[in-house]
Amino acid sequence: MPQRLESESRKLLGRLREALAADSEGQARLDAVVQLIADSMGTEVCSIYLFRDAETLELCATKGLQAEAVHQTRMRLGEGLVGRTAKSRAVINTANAPASKGFRYMPETGEERFSSFCGVPIQRLGEVLGVLVVQSKAAREYTPDEVYALEIVAMVIAEMTELGAFVGEGAALSARHQQSVMLHGSVAQEGATEGLVYLHEPRVVVTNPISDDPETERARLANAIKQLRDGVDDMLVTAHAIDNDQAQVLEAYRMFANSTSWLRRMEADVDNGLSAEAAVEKEQSLARARLSKSKDPYLRERLSDLDDLSNRLLRILTGQGAEARADMPENPILVARNIGPGELLEYGKQIKGIVLEEGSVGSHATIVARAWAIPLIINAKGVTREALNGDPILVDGEQGIAHLRPDETVQSAFRDKLAMQTRAQERYASIRDLAATSKCGTTTSLQMNAGLIADLPSLHGSGAEGVGLFRTELQFLIRNQMPRRAELSALYSRVLKAANGKRVAFRTLDIGSDKVLPYMKANDEPNPAMGWRAIRVGLDKPGVLRMQLQALLRAADGQPLDVMFPFITQFSEYRTARAEMDKAIARETKLGHKLPETLRVGAMLETPSLAFAPDAFFEAVDFISIGGNDLKQFFFAADRENERVRKRYDTLDVSFLSLLEKIVARCDTVGTPLSFCGEDAGRPVEALCFAALGIRTLSMRPASVGPVKHLLRRVDLTEVKSVMDDAIAEGEQSVRRAVADWLVYQV
């Protein structure tokens, strides 16, 4: 880049720093900024547009347009060239603005005299805060060097906006991170709670975006880059010692850390007047804008790598590392982009709720949240940018909504909701030790789902009669290498001991889909939920399955043992898996180990195909557990990770209930015990209908046992079945409304 441009850029940034440091109001600072930019670049117009809300840009300062238009001219995101710049997160540079696609004439601004237009997004870490615009009467495109200079200035404006340099009257100049915000996401674990934000990765604040000493900043950048690369190399050495697949992932990571083009761009930014940390953040923001628009999953994964490297580099430069993490507040609500199971478990059960910017309903974090019975919201876009440590937050896991810095009205209504739930739980405590016997005399066994040894105290407190599903994959997911048989056996033994004689049904390793072991090479599958997962992995890698079965047999140590295989789709899979159990029993017998007093080997029915298996399957299996979450998504061809279709289909749809009724009838014919396990089992109305169909065991999260038992004890299941049959006879698509209307007069 020419020396003259470097000099002019540094001069402009130096003048900007003086203007921003002046003891003046936010509007006065903005006015000074546009004047300085226009003078420096020799343009007739310089304007700054900032968002007043998520969809509306407002002209906040200008040099060259009509002064009366300030805070009056507004446009929607995507409207006009300014709106298009913000929406695309890309520079629009044209010599003939009126003839350009999307141009919108704003008569109050007087801009019709200006032909050329260059709009640069003001963005920070992927969030567009506004648009910086320069215009001239002469019909010309701005040069690449001029555009580059504007990008540097836009980055400084973004940082100063974040730091509150332009706070003033009106929505567009209101202080950031102070307004109430309602964030919509998806429900991964139900529940409701109130607390204070605790950021998993504290926000790195760049307080010195401008520097007049490029040599010093270059040296700081070089030193930080060296520390970063050394750290990545150390990670790689450790990974090679553990697992080659993990090392391959880190090799790609190291390639980015050693990218010369990345370093050259940051050095150029420093030469033009930015501090080292501002240069890192500028390149991070530009890369985010480019790669986030890509539909290529590989490139989007590389964005994650670059984000992580940039954040590590920023922490080295600013000293805002993990040790600078804030003290955990009372009633902490964990906020993160995403989080692994090991990191989450380190926090322990002091966490009262979780809000993630990403995540999935079957992710590791979801498994832990369900085990802890704390609300979890996923896909809450923007939460990591908007939330600050210590911010009040309300987590509504029933609706998938997080209220950040709520106003008094919202807070009061939410607290009323929490109080009602507390009173309800007190009522449920009074029936904790009573059976779920309906008025017709039918008793339904209510059991709980678990996945951690820490879940087992809930077995007594919830009133559950046993553990209908113990997920064994978490012990595999939180490690960097395959656990040993002795370790698993010791864990399973503690689980059985904690259950104190109550039934525990262990589900063998259910990995694949969205649960990938960190030490197992991930498969790039177009549809992982229907791919290589669960028992398919177990049968293809029988050594892992055998090791787990042996650990379970040893853990039983003469006690009764229930084991079930996940995702069985046909009889042959069950036969092969059962044969592995027989081999494990033979081995344990040969070694002289004590065998379980009784052993029941079951299957999870999670695909419609198994409902139509031959009679021999239903006779051979010791018990069947309906995996409701998967069965529903495959029955309706509706991906439960896809919010557009996930809630489109009702569990109480007549066709789905017909499938369940068929399964009940087939099990009853041969006397095979049947249970239903999944989110719907813990919803009182759904549980009521399942019981009316003849399903006598339901397994759910511990907190749902009380509400389900409360309702079951107050109704006659034969009457519920009659209501359902009437709705079906009348041609209703779902029985939900009919049952809900009937319940109004019953409870």
Side-chain angles (χ1 to χ4, degrees):
M1 187 168 294
Q3 182 66 32
R4 178 180 174 279
L5 177 63
E6 293 180 12
S7 176
E8 290 300 320
S9 177
R10 285 203 298 273
K11 284 181 182 177
L12 172 57
L13 289 179
R15 294 172 67 191
L16 276 176
R17 181 168 58 185
E18 292 174 5
L20 294 171
D23 185 15
S24 54
E25 299 294 328
Q27 184 65 56
R29 286 199 182 102
L30 272 179
D31 293 339
V33 167
V34 294
Q35 182 71 51
L36 284 172
I37 297 171
D39 291 347
S40 175
M41 297 194 65
T43 63
E44 286 97 340
V45 175
C46 177
S47 306
I48 291 176
Y49 297 80
L50 298 175
F51 277 101
R52 61 176 286 111
D53 58 48
E55 295 292 327
T56 311
L57 286 153
E58 179 174 299
L59 176 63
C60 290
T62 187
K63 191 280 184 180
L65 298 182
Q66 298 291 345
E68 296 79 11
V70 173
H71 298 303
Q72 300 302 314
T73 296
R74 295 169 187 167
M75 59 200 69
R76 304 289 288 174
L77 181 65
E79 180 183 14
L81 297 184
V82 173
R84 282 184 57 214
T85 300
K87 186 172 184 178
S88 66
R89 301 182 183 182
V91 174
I92 293 181
N93 183 11
T94 176
N96 188 353
S100 298
K101 178 183 177 181
F103 175 80
R104 183 192 168 195
Y105 174 53
M106 311 290 284
E108 71 275 15
T109 66
E111 66 178 344
E112 68 276 7
R113 297 168 291 158
F114 306 105
S115 180
S116 66
F117 173 98
C118 184
V120 176
I122 300 170
Q123 55 189 337
R124 182 179 187 275
L125 302 182
E127 180 185 15
V128 179
L129 307 181
V131 179
L132 171 63
V133 175
V134 291
Q135 296 171 271
S136 297
K137 291 179 181 178
R140 73 179 185 92
E141 285 193 7
Y142 290 87
T143 67
D145 288 345
E146 289 173 316
V147 172
Y148 177 79
L150 286 171
E151 287 179 331
I152 288 180
V153 171
M155 185 271 165
V156 173
I157 294 172
E159 286 301 325
M160 300 313 294
T161 301
E162 175 71 15
L163 292 171
F166 306 125
V167 174
E169 295 183 5
L173 297 186
S174 59
R176 289 173 59 76
H177 310 298
Q178 292 186 18
Q179 297 81 28
S180 297
V181 179
M182 183 168 68
L183 298 156
H184 292 268
S186 305
V187 176
Q189 170 62 23
E190 297 173 347
T193 190
E194 176 182 9
L196 301 176
V197 167
Y198 186 71
L199 294 172
H200 176 56
E201 292 185 338
R203 183 187 302 275
V204 176
V205 181
V206 178
T207 57
N208 58 329
I210 302 171
S211 172
D212 55 6
D213 188 352
E215 291 303 318
T216 298
E217 295 304 308
R218 263 181 171 260
R220 291 181 65 233
L221 181 63
N223 182 60
I225 285 284
K226 183 179 184 306
Q227 288 186 53
L228 175 70
R229 290 173 177 171
D230 289 347
V232 173
D233 287 343
D234 290 343
M235 290 165 60
L236 196 56
V237 169
T238 303
H240 273 301
I242 296 173
D243 185 87
N244 191 53
D245 290 335
Q246 187 179 358
Q248 288 179 1
V249 173
L250 284 172
E251 284 285 6
Y253 195 65
R254 182 167 69 171
M255 181 183 70
F256 268 93
N258 286 276
S259 169
T260 55
S261 60
W262 183 43
L263 178 57
R264 279 201 304 269
R265 288 194 300 271
M266 291 187 290
E267 288 175 339
D269 296 333
V270 166
D271 290 339
N272 281 285
L274 291 183
S275 65
E277 40 272 83
V280 174
E281 199 161 273
K282 173 180 174 289
E283 295 307 317
Q284 183 181 13
S285 293
L286 292 177
R288 265 178 166 269
R290 288 194 304 269
L291 296 180
S292 63
K293 291 183 288 186
S294 173
K295 299 192 183 302
D296 186 332
Y298 175 80
L299 289 179
R300 293 183 68 85
E301 186 64 27
R302 300 291 71 76
L303 170 59
S304 178
D305 290 344
L306 189 58
D307 252 352
D308 189 51
L309 285 169
S310 298
N311 290 335
R312 286 173 183 269
L313 192 54
L314 283 169
R315 290 190 175 92
I316 292 171
L317 285 164
T318 62
Q320 299 173 37
E323 66 280 359
R325 183 176 280 169
D327 292 335
M328 187 171 286
E330 187 177 350
N331 296 324
I333 306 297
L334 187 66
V335 172
R337 178 172 298 279
N338 217 334
I339 190 169
E343 295 172 303
L344 185 51
L345 287 169
E346 285 179 5
Y347 285 110
K349 297 185 75 171
Q350 58 189 321
I351 297 296
K352 302 304 179 186
I354 307 170
V355 182
L356 299 180
E357 184 137 351
E358 299 172 358
S360 65
V361 295
S363 68
H364 313 150
T366 303
I367 294 171
V368 176
R370 286 175 181 163
W372 289 347
I374 58 174
L376 166 62
I377 295 174
I378 57 174
N379 300 320
K381 301 304 180 187
V383 66
T384 55
R385 292 195 304 261
E386 188 63 51
L388 296 179
N389 271 323
D391 278 345
I393 186 170
L394 311 176
V395 182
D396 188 341
E398 314 293 333
Q399 303 296 323
I401 296 173
H403 299 275
L404 188 62
R405 298 181 291 269
D407 60 32
E408 290 184 7
T409 303
V410 172
Q411 198 169 47
S412 176
F414 194 83
R415 285 175 176 170
D416 288 344
K417 177 179 180 177
L418 292 177
M420 289 177 61
Q421 291 181 348
T422 300
R423 289 194 293 271
Q425 289 297 330
E426 290 171 353
R427 289 200 305 273
Y428 303 147
S430 67
I431 60 172
R432 182 186 63 195
D433 299 325
L434 301 179
T437 302
S438 301
K439 289 183 176 180
C440 56
T442 302
T443 298
T444 304
S445 176
L446 303 185
Q447 302 187 9
M448 60 171 267
N449 302 330
L452 295 169
I453 187 70
D455 299 340
L456 274 298
S458 299
L459 187 54
H460 172 72
S462 66
E465 298 174 38
V467 179
L469 166 66
F470 189 91
R471 306 178 183 94
T472 61
E473 54 270 12
L474 200 58
Q475 288 71 43
F476 289 79
L477 291 166
I478 62 177
R479 297 167 178 262
N480 289 322
Q481 57 185 336
M482 186 73 70
R484 298 180 183 276
R485 180 174 51 205
E487 294 172 330
L488 291 178
S489 180
L491 172 70
Y492 301 152
S493 178
R494 292 200 302 274
V495 170
L496 289 169
K497 183 177 180 180
N500 196 28
K502 291 186 176 181
R503 176 191 186 234
V504 179
F506 291 93
R507 181 180 70 187
T508 60
L509 188 59
D510 186 2
I511 57 169
S513 186
D514 51 6
K515 297 189 286 288
V516 180
L517 299 182
Y519 42 86
M520 182 179 290
K521 186 175 182 179
N523 287 296
D524 186 14
E525 297 181 295
N527 193 345
M530 299 178 71
W532 194 61
R533 55 171 291 203
I535 196 61
R536 295 170 178 174
V537 177
L539 296 181
D540 288 351
K541 290 185 173 291
V544 177
L545 179 60
R546 288 172 199 156
M547 182 266 289
Q548 188 178 23
L549 294 177
Q550 290 165 10
L552 286 164
L553 291 169
R554 293 181 188 182
D557 192 31
Q559 302 174 76
L561 178 65
D562 282 12
V563 177
M564 58 185 179
F565 300 116
F567 208 61
I568 297 290
T569 61
Q570 55 188 14
F571 186 21
S572 62
E573 290 175 338
Y574 177 76
R575 275 199 307 252
T576 306
R578 178 65 197 243
E580 291 296 339
M581 174 63 87
D582 292 339
K583 291 177 186 176
I585 292 173
R587 176 181 170 83
E588 294 305 293
T589 301
K590 185 176 181 180
L591 292 173
H593 293 155
K594 189 185 294 186
L595 296 178
E597 176 187 348
T598 59
L599 173 64
R600 299 199 312 159
V601 181
M604 293 203 71
L605 194 158
E606 299 173 273
T607 63
S609 65
L610 198 60
F612 299 90
D615 292 339
F617 164 73
F618 288 90
E619 293 168 354
V621 72
D622 292 329
F623 65 93
I624 289 175
S625 178
I626 296 172
N629 297 338
D630 267 333
L631 182 61
K632 182 179 172 183
Q633 77 165 338
F634 294 131
F635 183 82
F636 289 112
D639 183 358
R640 64 191 182 114
E641 301 290 351
N642 186 333
E643 282 301 304
R644 289 187 175 182
V645 298
R646 187 165 77 95
K647 298 180 180 179
R648 188 183 185 96
Y649 301 101
D650 189 358
T651 306
L652 301 185
D653 184 282
V654 169
S655 56
F656 188 66
L657 293 179
S658 296
L659 176 67
L660 296 183
E661 198 163 24
K662 178 181 180 65
I663 297 168
V664 170
R666 298 203 68 184
C667 288
D668 284 349
T669 299
V670 295
T672 300
L674 175 67
S675 64
F676 188 104
C677 171
E679 295 174 9
D680 290 318
R683 297 187 172 112
V685 175
E686 282 85 336
L688 184 66
C689 293
F690 297 158
L693 288 177
I695 300 175
R696 294 292 169 254
T697 301
L698 303 174
S699 189
M700 62 203 71
R701 65 190 181 106
S704 297
V705 173
V708 170
K709 183 184 290 187
H710 176 73
L711 183 58
L712 284 173
R713 287 177 54 83
R714 303 184 70 178
V715 299
D716 184 322
L717 292 179
T718 58
E719 292 182 21
V720 177
K721 184 63 167 64
S722 177
V723 171
M724 295 167 65
D725 289 342
D726 289 345
I728 293 170
E730 292 170 6
E732 296 290 340
Q733 183 70 45
S734 168
V735 304
R736 183 177 300 279
R737 179 179 296 178
V739 173
D741 290 346
W742 178 82
L743 282 172
V744 170
Y745 301 99
Q746 305 301 314
V747 298

